[in-house]
Amino acid sequence: MIRLLGIDPGLRFTGWGLIDVDGNRLKHIADGVIATDSSDLVPVRLKILHDALTALLELHRPVEAAVEETYVNRNGAATLKLGYARGVALLTPALAGVPVTEYAAKTVKLAVVGTGGAEKAQMIMMVRRLLPGAALKRADAADALAVAICHAHHRSSHLAWSVANAAVGY
Amino acid sequence: MIRLLGIDPGLRFTGWGLIDVDGNRLKHIADGVIATDSSDLVPVRLKILHDALTALLELHRPVEAAVEETYVNRNGAATLKLGYARGVALLTPALAGVPVTEYAAKTVKLAVVGTGGAEKAQMIMMVRRLLPGAALKRADAADALAVAICHAHHRSSHLAWSVANAAVGY
């Protein structure tokens, strides 16, 4: 059984979610949102995000983390701010020795709902169905659990692939 | 006398420069570039950047840091990557308890060359003139020293302003 951390980063709200994976079985552990105050200076907000993620990593000890590749079709300044939060979401697990994998939003939807073009409401419904007990106070937490589920699926297919290839002598 | 760290962040190359400021006098301490390999995973590259900046902060003990607000008129993916590096450049001093100030490129040029529309070559020449002994192996290091110089100027005017206002009873 392994524990995974999913992160949906944003400077204002960063969703996070923890699941346990045992073969094909998924279990919800915890989820939530890290909020920072837009009236604070950016370095202060990034430190709050980093410290909160570090506390989660220390408390729950996930062995791997997954981060959603965020959408960038906004203006340059908004994309840059998203980049700050995403940089911290990629750095913080790395500093704790936890490998981080990135997934495109489309890949996450495909893994959770079965179609890359799924609506937000549909994805939240599937996260609730797959992980009974999830709090999901904000959509960001559902997105974070979704990327953790996506990583669980891809991880096991990678493992299956490795085993299959080992069997045929790769 | 106070020591300042200037940072010009980028995922591929991050320029850095350290100066000592004593009233109106500036002294070059060190400068260089932190490079990361584009064939490495992004979290690994961000950790290398973070670790290198942390080592500089520990070795040189600057009391304040300044980061240049990078230009964003590129495509979304490039802006996002720039955001990662800039997020780490803003976070790392904050983690070390060093206050970070951000300056627009225009403000930096204005402080160093006297015009917000200065050419790159002109700025490098002024950095060389203001800080004899600077290595400047790459333009990124000159940009980092330039933002440190800019912070030195703004810092002293803020101080002068505070003193002036204190004198008139603010």
Side-chain angles (χ1 to χ4, degrees):
Chain A
M1 196 187 68
I2 59 145
R3 181 159 294 178
L4 305 178
L5 170 65
I7 308 172
D8 178 36
L11 191 53
R12 181 78 186 86
F13 296 109
T14 289
W16 59 271
L18 285 143
I19 61 173
D20 276 355
V21 183
D22 188 0
N24 286 325
R25 278 178 302 179
L26 303 177
K27 190 185 162 199
H28 172 264
I29 301 300
D31 67 281
V33 170
I34 302 158
T36 72
D37 193 332
S38 55
S39 65
D40 279 337
L41 292 172
V42 170
V44 172
R45 299 173 73 183
L46 296 177
K47 185 176 181 303
I48 288 168
L49 176 54
H50 169 271
D51 289 350
L53 287 174
T54 300
L56 284 173
L57 289 159
E58 282 174 5
L59 181 64
H60 294 284
R61 304 263 166 206
V63 293
E64 288 169 17
V67 176
E68 182 163 332
E69 266 189 48
T70 346
Y71 215 49
V72 294
N73 72 342
R74 299 194 266 168
N75 68 65
T79 304
L80 197 64
K81 278 191 184 177
L82 197 55
Y84 301 166
R86 198 148 171 259
V88 172
L90 293 169
L91 171 68
T92 307
L95 289 178
V98 174
V100 196
T101 309
E102 303 175 74
Y103 293 97
K106 213 171 167 177
T107 309
V108 176
K109 286 180 179 175
L110 198 61
V112 176
V113 185
T115 160
E119 296 289 330
K120 183 75 107 184
Q122 204 181 348
M123 195 152 85
I124 295 176
M125 197 199 67
M126 278 306 292
V127 170
R128 284 198 190 283
R129 187 172 300 173
L130 292 167
L131 299 173
L136 307 188
K137 284 192 182 153
R138 280 185 58 92
D140 312 77
D143 286 338
L145 285 169
V147 70
I149 294 169
C150 171
H151 184 53
H153 288 192
H154 281 259
R155 206 183 169 278
S156 62
S157 25
H158 288 166
L159 284 179
W161 185 89
S162 306
V163 172
N165 281 299
V168 295
Y170 274 85
Chain B
M1 197 187 67
I2 58 145
R3 182 160 292 179
L4 305 178
L5 169 65
I7 307 172
D8 177 36
L11 190 54
R12 183 78 188 87
F13 295 109
T14 290
W16 59 271
L18 286 143
I19 62 173
D20 277 355
V21 184
D22 187 0
N24 285 325
R25 279 177 302 178
L26 303 176
K27 190 185 163 197
H28 172 264
I29 300 299
D31 68 281
V33 169
I34 302 158
T36 72
D37 193 332
S38 54
S39 65
D40 279 336
L41 292 172
V42 170
V44 172
R45 299 173 73 183
L46 296 177
K47 185 175 182 301
I48 289 167
L49 176 54
H50 170 270
D51 289 350
L53 288 174
T54 300
L56 285 172
L57 289 159
E58 282 174 4
L59 182 64
H60 294 284
R61 304 263 166 205
V63 293
E64 288 168 17
V67 175
E68 183 164 330
E69 265 188 48
T70 345
Y71 215 48
V72 293
N73 71 341
R74 298 194 267 170
N75 68 64
T79 303
L80 197 64
K81 278 191 183 177
L82 197 56
Y84 301 167
R86 197 147 172 260
V88 172
L90 293 170
L91 171 69
T92 306
L95 288 179
V98 174
V100 195
T101 309
E102 304 174 74
Y103 293 97
K106 213 171 168 177
T107 309
V108 176
K109 286 179 180 176
L110 198 62
V112 175
V113 185
T115 160
E119 296 290 328
K120 183 76 108 182
Q122 204 181 348
M123 195 153 84
I124 295 176
M125 196 198 68
M126 279 307 292
V127 169
R128 283 198 190 283
R129 187 173 298 173
L130 292 167
L131 299 173
L136 306 188
K137 282 189 184 160
R138 282 185 56 92
D140 312 76
D143 286 337
L145 286 168
V147 71
I149 294 169
C150 172
H151 184 53
H153 289 193
H154 281 257
R155 206 182 170 279
S156 61
S157 26
H158 289 166
L159 284 178
W161 185 89
S162 307
V163 171
N165 282 298
V168 294
Y170 273 85

